[in-house]
Amino acid sequence: MSIDPTTLLVILGMATINYLLRLSGFLIAGRFVPTGRAKAAFDAIPPAVLTAVIAPMLIATGPAETIAGLITAVAAFRLPLLGTIVVGVVTIVALRAMIG
């Protein structure tokens, strides 16, 4: 198997640009201190991404996963992170054993 030089050059170029973009973001973020609305927007990113990743799985899978997701979401408002994780794991295990 041989590698086309043009393909190799494009891959290396994309890798270099990707690395430089990530590095520049890291350097810029170190100098930027968000306040007010910008801080609120940055604080909202992790839950928004987590919701975007988890929500389709809860809808597309079976009833055990959907029910466990809802119970875990309610627990998240009342318990610390470790407690929420325990509730989620125990609930999905129990529901999968009962429902299948």
Side-chain angles (χ1 to χ4, degrees), residues 7-97:
T7 304
L8 182 61
L9 185 61
V10 169
I11 291 172
L12 291 175
M14 288 188 299
T16 303
I17 290 171
N18 188 356
Y19 177 75
L20 291 174
L21 284 173
R22 289 174 185 261
L23 182 64
S24 66
F26 178 73
L27 294 174
I28 291 171
R31 296 183 180 150
F32 176 67
V33 179
T35 58
R37 292 179 67 127
K39 182 173 181 355
F42 281 115
D43 288 344
I45 290 173
V49 170
L50 188 60
T51 302
V53 170
I54 292 174
M57 190 264 321
L58 293 178
I59 295 169
T61 56
E65 288 80 7
T66 304
I67 294 167
L70 294 173
I71 292 171
T72 305
V74 171
F77 285 105
R78 303 185 183 279
L79 299 174
L81 180 60
L82 185 58
T84 303
I85 292 169
V86 169
V87 167
V89 170
V90 169
T91 304
I92 192 63
V93 168
L95 287 173
R96 283 182 179 168

